[in-house]
Amino acid sequence: MDLRIKLTILADAAKYDASCASSGAKGRRDGSTLGSTEGMGICHSYTPDGRCVSLLKILLTNYCIYDCHFCVNRVTSEIPRARFTVEEVVRLTLDFYKRNYIEGLFLSSGIIQSVEYTMEQLIAVARTLRQQYGFGGYIHLKLIPGASEELIHEAGLWADRLSANIELPTQADLQRLAPDKKHETIVGAMAEVRERLAEVRSDRQAGLHPPRFAPAGQSTQMVIGATPTPDRAILQTAAALYRDQQVRRVYYSAYSPTPHADARLPGQPPPLMREHRLYQADWLLRFYGFEVQELATEPNGNLALDIDPKLAWALLHRDQFPVDVNIAPREMLLRIPGMGVRNVDRILRIRKYHRLTTDDLRRLRVVWRTAAPFVITDDPNPGLQQLDRVDLRRRVRSKPTTPSLFDGFIGEDER
Amino acid sequence: MIVTIQNFADWRDKARLLLAANFSPQEVTFHDQRTGAGLFADDPLPSIATKMAFRVDREFLDAAELAAWHRRGDKWNLLYRILWRVTHGQPRLLRVESDPDILELRRMGKQVSRDAHKMKAFVRFRRVVHEGEEHFVAWHRPDHFVVRLTAPFFARRFSSMFWTILTPDESVTWDQRELQFGPGVPQSEAPAWDALEELWRAYYRSTFNPARIKLAMMRREMPVRHWRTLPETEIIGEMLHEAPRRVAEMIRHTEGCGRSAAEFLPKNGSWDDLRAAVLRCQGCDLYRTATQTVFGEGPIDASLVLVGEQPGDEEDSAGRPFVGPAGQVLNGALSEAGIDRQRVYLTNAVKHFKHELRGKRRLHRRPDAGEIVACRPWLVAELERIAPRVLVCLGVTAAQAVFGHGFRIQEARGRVLPSPCCPQTLATYHPASILRVPTPLAERYRQLLVRDLRTAKELAG
């Protein structure tokens, strides 16, 4: 089969993976002669769906022995199939990289023959790139849950990032839609990575020079909206993965009309807005000190779609506002709607020398329409009068815009 | 006082002298050499022998150096004004990020950083082979003077390659050892072609999800002014043009995923309302080729319900379930099990006949998962109203409609299990399968069918 046709099939099949980050790894790999990872990812292009093209994101093959209903590559799906050889993927990666099209490779695969065999094939690509061609660019390898400890260790030796997809928010969801996969096997693979990362860290602290192991850590992805599981359960799963498995990122992928999607899934994809709200809530969990119980406050256990989760929280906790930006502690500044981490830190710096006014906040590009009813500044703030209004929710709601899905995708690991 | 500046180091030296001689920002006008000097010649700079001691933060110098790569010609004036304020009573000015001068300084720095970042992203090398040597050449048009800012990055990343980046302002070459800067060149000097771009475009096209279109986002991050050096952007028009077709194809291939009978179901209606509604169902495409809907038949207080797969050729014509050859096999099995067909409610998982035309014959085709799910609301409505004591699924289609996609009849045949539709559900062979397998096996299947029906009868009482 022509390489171009293979690429068409196997890139098409990989595009449903939301992860595109190429950040988090820094420093030169020993012996590398081509390529670098600079800590911060680079988006080399953007497709008309607004997504960043950073890595050559492909499957080694889309043949698969599994039957996960939400997945386009499941064994029962009638789609054209193809398989790359290890050498073909290596060649493509190098050719694209040398022209500065990409930051590196994101390689996943359908399961062929067995879990072990598939994992070995993925590792062979990364090993060849590193050892034979001195490739120092970014490599993200998908872990096949159930692969042995030895294989996971070798994968981490060559890859910058590893990821095992949690696939669906709960074990019950998996049972329904991914009968061949088990939550505990997937989490087991993550735990293996976490333990290995900890070992490497403690070796390094002890002054040893352990071999590199997945310097950009691990991430995971779950499909949302394929089952009725509410946002609260989704966020609980995410919070547990951040806490227990120390994953760097959980990606949420709205179940979208994929070719030949299984009929057991709801036909209409959930609004992209839901996906966007989940990313916002995820952010609040990680950087704003929120707990899952404080979010997803709608009666059905979901996040509100019309307003962002921080604003939803503030509207339910008006007794804690207004907050004086000139004296409030950081934790409370972080809870002001319309204000991001960066602005909070700026305010903390500025207020040592200068008392902040409404004009200052506007100049810092705080979302003033949203923030105004919640803050006390050095000058009179007429917006405060709105805090007790019954229709505040309607008034502070920002105009509906298309969520920029991948807003959060770049930059996070750079913190 | 008019002063022309070449670069940041030049500004720093001259600003130091001016500051020492106590020239206020109002008394000095800086011109930028690169963006065009002023009409008037420079005034002689003050010469001060004594070094005046003043200190400024590293933070200011870094921010100023970054902003100095900006294309704006009046940047040196802004830098001098801030320097003046920092050294005249506002040493912490940089921390006041809401100050208009500081905001401007930061904004310019941000624009430069962004442009440098975009240069790292959008430079597209083309491979040229010259006297057997591989060389990679790119042409790029940055917004600001960022060639020197980004060159070390390219040297690190592509250290084992020979490469050149050309821009209208300046060019830079790496010979695997050091960077060399040269004058700017027009785009026409750059190589026009690289065979690999065809593959790159193929990748770009495939990685695009036509179900999500966000052009504003794409244009914000990949400004149109850069498109003419990005080979993949050539096909954006085509990709958008074919997007509706690709999405339609995706949805069509969704195997009925988006549709179901649910919207045709009457809410809280009587049995007759249900019957009337099912005749008009268009929850999937099968209604187009079938003669009529074949709904269930039998007493609505039956304690035993049998569910088949779908109506066949004769059922489709008659509008009644199990009246064809399979119906006859079922009748035989029922009477052998001692069950009176009149007291049983008979229905199908799918209510329309799915078939393909082969000459004049209408050949039965198995309903797919989409059609089963689309039709399921009718089955659920029937079973909710009848609430039978026992439910028998005839064949795997019925069993999967009731238990879910994962049901395997070879593993669970004849076992009484709770299902979402009925606490006592059992699956057995479909009478039509008995007609299709070879004789010895057919008799075995028939005996199992009868045995399972007997079990059901006993449970139903």
Side-chain angles (χ1 to χ4, degrees):
Chain A
M1 190 188 277
D2 176 29
L3 186 65
R4 196 178 147 198
I5 295 171
K6 283 191 190 180
L7 180 61
T8 300
I9 293 172
L10 294 169
D12 196 287
K15 74 178 171 211
Y16 301 100
D17 218 299
S19 161
C20 76
S22 54
S23 49
K26 211 171 175 173
R28 203 183 181 83
R29 257 176 201 275
D30 293 340
S32 73
T33 52
L34 171 73
S36 61
T37 48
E38 310 259 334
M40 188 161 143
I42 297 176
C43 292
H44 287 269
S45 192
Y46 286 81
T47 43
D49 53 19
R51 294 202 300 176
C52 141
V53 181
S54 177
L55 301 169
L56 170 62
K57 195 193 300 183
I58 47 174
L59 300 188
L60 190 61
T61 175
N62 64 342
Y63 288 100
C64 191
I65 55 175
Y66 285 176
D67 192 22
C68 306
H69 303 301
F70 57 86
C71 178
V72 63
N73 304 314
R74 66 188 186 279
V75 63
T76 51
S77 176
E78 289 166 29
I79 47 164
R81 307 272 175 174
R83 180 180 174 180
F84 277 129
T85 63
V86 169
E87 290 68 30
E88 282 169 336
V89 178
V90 167
R91 196 71 260 156
L92 262 179
T93 308
L94 294 172
D95 281 345
F96 278 11
Y97 197 87
K98 284 183 173 176
R99 285 158 181 83
N100 202 38
Y101 298 162
I102 52 170
E103 287 292 286
L105 174 67
F106 178 119
L107 188 62
S108 180
S109 182
I111 316 292
I112 39 169
Q113 294 186 28
S114 69
V115 164
E116 300 278 295
Y117 175 78
T118 309
M119 194 68 234
E120 278 167 15
Q121 291 288 301
L122 296 183
I123 291 171
V125 171
R127 186 179 48 228
T128 311
L129 276 168
R130 297 290 192 217
Q131 288 199 314
Q132 224 163 303
Y133 295 94
F135 181 67
Y138 195 87
I139 298 181
H140 179 151
L141 284 189
K142 196 56 80 180
L143 283 182
I144 313 294
S148 71
E149 192 183 315
E150 289 73 28
L151 287 177
I152 292 178
H153 287 187
E154 193 186 348
L157 209 56
W158 312 121
D160 292 289
R161 173 168 280 187
L162 296 172
S163 66
N165 280 356
I166 195 80
E167 310 288 13
L168 292 165
T170 68
Q171 170 64 33
D173 293 338
L174 269 184
Q175 233 154 22
R176 233 184 103 206
L177 295 183
D180 304 302
K181 292 189 174 166
K182 285 203 174 61
H183 219 75
E184 58 184 56
T185 319
I186 301 169
V187 175
M190 292 181 186
E192 197 62 60
V193 174
R194 168 181 45 83
E195 281 164 24
R196 184 75 189 143
L197 282 167
E199 271 172 47
V200 168
R201 202 164 35 237
S202 71
D203 281 0
R204 195 165 295 135
Q205 276 159 4
L208 302 169
H209 294 283
R212 258 173 112 103
F213 183 83
Q218 59 175 331
S219 64
T220 190
Q221 161 167 317
M222 61 176 118
V223 172
I224 53 154
T227 58
T229 304
D231 293 342
R232 177 177 294 222
I234 292 171
L235 290 170
Q236 267 155 356
T237 300
L241 293 173
Y242 285 127
R243 185 187 63 232
D244 302 336
Q245 307 310 332
Q246 282 143 37
V247 298
R248 296 266 184 103
R249 277 301 297 272
V250 175
Y251 291 94
Y252 307 91
S253 171
Y255 170 68
S256 57
T258 59
H260 297 252
D262 191 277
R264 289 157 49 74
L265 302 168
Q268 294 307 310
L272 286 185
M273 189 52 88
R274 182 177 180 199
E275 195 182 274
H276 180 59
R277 295 292 181 226
L278 278 167
Y279 276 114
Q280 290 180 318
D282 183 274
W283 230 247
L284 294 180
L285 294 177
R286 288 184 299 145
F287 302 113
Y288 291 75
F290 279 82
E291 302 283 337
V292 176
Q293 305 84 270
E294 297 180 288
L295 304 168
T297 47
E298 295 291 291
N300 53 10
N302 280 332
L303 296 163
L305 289 178
D306 62 332
I307 51 173
D308 72 78
K310 200 197 321 184
L311 180 57
W313 179 84
L315 288 173
L316 287 176
H317 297 85
R318 292 193 213 181
D319 53 310
Q320 307 207 24
F321 292 96
V323 168
D324 187 337
V325 292
N326 284 302
I327 53 173
R330 187 170 187 272
E331 307 85 78
M332 207 52 222
L333 291 179
L334 284 171
R335 297 207 164 215
I336 301 172
M339 207 177 284
V341 172
R342 193 171 295 182
N343 269 331
V344 165
D345 290 335
R346 278 181 177 158
I347 287 168
L348 290 171
R349 283 198 298 269
I350 294 171
R351 74 187 191 185
K352 287 186 201 155
Y353 311 101
H354 168 97
R355 288 185 62 80
L356 287 123
T357 63
T358 51
D359 273 349
D360 285 316
L361 294 184
R362 281 208 192 91
R363 275 199 296 263
L364 292 174
R365 305 252 172 104
V366 163
V367 185
W368 185 243
R369 180 188 157 87
T370 309
F374 300 97
V375 294
I376 295 176
T377 47
D378 205 39
D379 56 335
N381 168 15
L384 269 179
Q385 290 165 9
Q386 296 186 33
L387 183 56
D388 295 322
R389 290 190 66 128
V390 183
D391 62 347
L392 181 58
R393 179 167 178 152
R394 190 179 55 75
R395 286 169 167 269
V396 291
R397 194 162 55 193
S398 49
K399 281 168 238 108
T401 49
T402 331
S404 43
L405 256 186
F406 295 87
D407 272 359
F409 275 35
I410 323 137
E412 173 268 332
D413 295 61
E414 297 144 25
R415 275 162 205 277
Chain B
M1 161 86 60
I2 291 176
V3 183
T4 301
I5 302 295
Q6 288 175 12
N7 55 35
F8 181 69
D10 187 32
W11 174 82
R12 204 177 45 192
D13 293 343
K14 289 173 177 168
R16 190 176 284 142
L17 291 175
L18 291 163
L19 200 62
N22 220 15
F23 278 91
S24 78
Q26 290 78 25
E27 297 169 90
V28 190
T29 303
F30 292 96
H31 285 299
D32 183 62
Q33 177 110 61
R34 285 175 109 154
T35 55
L39 280 174
F40 305 101
D42 276 23
D43 294 308
L45 284 164
S47 54
I48 301 252
T50 53
K51 257 184 113 182
M52 206 184 91
F54 63 85
R55 294 178 59 83
V56 289
D57 272 359
R58 182 79 240 167
E59 194 184 351
F60 168 70
L61 284 177
D62 289 345
E65 188 172 5
L66 188 64
W69 302 109
H70 203 279
R71 200 172 285 276
R72 255 173 62 176
D74 63 349
K75 60 200 173 192
W76 309 117
N77 294 308
L78 174 74
L79 296 185
Y80 190 69
R81 191 160 64 240
I82 296 172
L83 177 64
W84 180 268
R85 292 178 65 193
V86 168
T87 51
H88 287 76
Q90 292 176 272
R92 296 283 173 201
L93 181 63
L94 248 75
R95 301 293 166 89
V96 185
E97 287 172 79
S98 53
D99 180 275
D101 278 349
I102 301 303
L103 274 172
E104 198 50 37
L105 175 73
R106 296 291 186 193
R107 193 167 300 140
M108 282 166 64
K110 218 166 150 186
Q111 285 167 351
V112 168
S113 301
R114 180 178 153 94
D115 191 43
H117 188 76
K118 291 300 178 194
M119 178 163 172
K120 294 174 188 173
F122 296 153
V123 156
R124 293 283 185 272
F125 285 118
R126 285 177 166 154
R127 182 171 167 272
V128 182
V129 179
H130 185 66
E131 291 173 2
E133 197 106 66
E134 212 177 30
H135 204 108
F136 290 86
V137 185
W139 193 87
H140 176 75
R141 183 198 289 279
D143 295 339
H144 302 289
F145 302 113
V146 292
V147 171
R148 282 168 195 264
L149 196 57
T150 55
F153 161 82
F154 289 104
R156 270 197 306 280
R157 176 158 287 193
F158 303 110
S159 60
S160 61
M161 288 163 31
F162 289 105
W163 57 258
T164 300
I165 299 173
L166 309 168
T167 81
D169 305 310
E170 203 170 7
S171 61
V172 56
T173 289
W174 171 255
D175 61 1
Q176 299 190 355
R177 284 193 317 277
E178 58 179 9
L179 291 166
Q180 271 177 356
F181 295 89
V185 292
Q187 188 171 11
S188 53
E189 308 255 315
W193 184 80
D194 186 322
L196 204 82
E197 286 171 4
E198 202 47 43
L199 268 183
W200 170 237
R201 277 189 287 264
Y203 175 69
Y204 183 73
R205 186 191 298 267
S206 292
T207 201
F208 161 58
N209 184 350
R212 297 178 172 193
I213 295 201
K214 289 195 206 145
L215 294 176
M217 171 80 177
M218 172 181 71
R219 291 204 189 97
R220 187 167 71 239
E221 296 301 332
M222 188 167 71
V224 177
R225 63 180 178 279
H226 290 300
W227 285 19
R228 63 178 170 145
T229 54
L230 300 171
E232 66 274 23
T233 57
E234 282 170 28
I235 57 167
I236 287 176
E238 264 169 61
M239 285 161 66
L240 290 173
H241 183 71
E242 65 191 16
R245 185 180 56 73
R246 278 178 70 186
V247 173
E249 215 167 86
M250 281 159 86
I251 291 171
R252 188 154 42 79
H253 287 161
T254 315
E255 298 171 20
C257 217
R259 301 164 62 195
S260 115
E263 53 185 301
F264 298 90
L265 208 65
K267 288 190 175 51
N268 312 316
S270 67
W271 184 263
D272 288 338
D273 293 337
L274 194 66
R275 267 200 82 85
V278 74
L279 300 178
R280 294 191 301 268
C281 182
Q282 301 182 355
C284 72
D285 278 335
L286 294 182
Y287 77 93
R288 293 176 190 277
T289 48
T291 309
Q292 56 187 314
T293 308
V294 179
F295 198 50
E297 187 180 271
I300 57 170
D301 59 350
S303 57
L304 177 59
V305 172
L306 306 188
V307 189
E309 181 189 75
Q310 62 165 345
D313 187 42
E314 290 182 37
E315 286 84 0
D316 177 71
S317 306
R320 295 178 52 208
F322 290 103
V323 294
Q328 281 163 27
V329 176
L330 179 66
N331 287 344
L334 282 172
S335 61
E336 207 173 319
I339 300 173
D340 178 1
R341 175 166 166 156
Q342 300 307 314
R343 297 186 55 195
V344 176
Y345 185 86
L346 287 168
T347 189
N348 283 301
V350 171
K351 309 292 195 242
H352 278 117
F353 177 36
K354 182 176 182 179
H355 58 270
E356 61 183 304
L357 281 176
R358 189 72 60 79
K360 286 189 177 169
R361 291 178 61 207
R362 301 198 297 172
L363 285 186
H364 162 275
R365 275 186 59 206
R366 221 173 119 171
D368 64 33
E371 287 145 0
I372 297 168
V373 170
C375 209
R376 195 165 183 271
W378 296 119
L379 180 64
V380 171
E382 286 173 288
L383 291 168
E384 265 172 10
R385 284 176 171 78
I386 299 169
R389 219 169 288 161
V390 182
L391 175 64
V392 176
C393 302
L394 300 170
V396 68
T397 302
Q400 290 187 347
V402 168
F403 285 103
H405 186 73
F407 191 87
R408 301 281 177 270
I409 200 147
Q410 295 297 345
E411 292 162 18
R413 200 221 89 253
R415 280 165 56 194
V416 182
L417 302 162
S419 76
C421 298
C422 179
Q424 301 186 95
T425 307
L426 73 102
T428 185
Y429 293 117
H430 193 282
S433 69
I434 294 168
L435 295 171
R436 284 198 288 265
V437 296
T439 320
L441 197 58
E443 183 47 29
R444 163 112 184 101
Y445 274 26
R446 210 186 63 80
Q447 282 169 11
L448 289 171
L449 170 63
V450 171
R451 189 208 284 177
D452 293 338
L453 287 173
R454 258 193 211 114
T455 310
K457 180 186 177 241
E458 279 157 28
L459 288 169

